[in-house]
Amino acid sequence: MRRETQSHRKAAVPIPPLPNSLSAPSLIAQVMYQKFIMGILFAWQERDWYWLGLVLPRNVMANWGIRCCQEWLEPLYRRLLEMLAAYGVLHMDETRIQFNKEEDQRPFL
């Protein structure tokens, strides 16, 4: 009777979004979502993460935001500008929207 051997293979470790940091993609996304969408200050997030058992200083979260913008979002922004500049004509909606109630302006309909 022949016995089959089983081999185990280790899964590939994903490349971290910010090398040499403890960041994970989901944690960075949550921190940035709370900061820029929900408007929660890093100081408040620091307290909330601490209550959940994670020591995550506000300066670390700020550095993550800066590095992600520089390493991930800025190249994307520059590429989009290049693509837009390649077109001869761009169209956009320039409809005026009144944000503040100004005394001498009538409401936009």
Side-chain angles (χ1 to χ4, degrees):
M1 178 153 90
R2 184 173 165 199
R3 184 174 180 189
E4 290 190 31
T5 59
Q6 290 183 337
S7 63
H8 298 282
R9 291 189 298 169
K10 181 180 175 185
V13 177
I15 298 171
L18 300 175
N20 303 320
S21 76
L22 299 174
S23 61
S26 59
L27 181 58
I28 294 173
Q30 181 64 24
V31 166
M32 294 301 124
Y33 171 78
Q34 288 182 356
K35 171 67 176 168
F36 296 109
I37 303 300
M38 302 302 293
I40 301 173
L41 302 174
F42 286 141
W44 296 356
Q45 288 188 50
E46 179 181 29
R47 183 192 60 210
D48 289 344
W49 289 115
Y50 180 77
W51 286 343
L52 293 171
L54 177 63
V55 177
L56 186 56
R58 64 188 88 170
N59 65 324
V60 171
M61 291 184 275
N63 286 335
W64 286 356
I66 293 167
R67 286 184 61 194
C68 284
C69 287
Q70 290 173 340
E71 297 174 21
W72 293 94
L73 299 178
E74 191 172 330
L76 177 63
Y77 171 75
R78 292 192 186 286
R79 179 67 180 127
L80 287 172
L81 283 180
E82 287 174 11
M83 292 173 67
L84 287 173
Y87 291 101
V89 177
L90 296 176
H91 296 278
M92 58 189 288
D93 183 4
E94 295 181 6
T95 304
R96 182 177 181 272
I97 298 173
Q98 183 176 346
F99 290 100
N100 298 324
K101 294 183 180 180
E102 301 162 347
E103 293 179 15
D104 60 339
Q105 298 290 326
R106 63 186 188 125
F108 180 75
L109 301 176

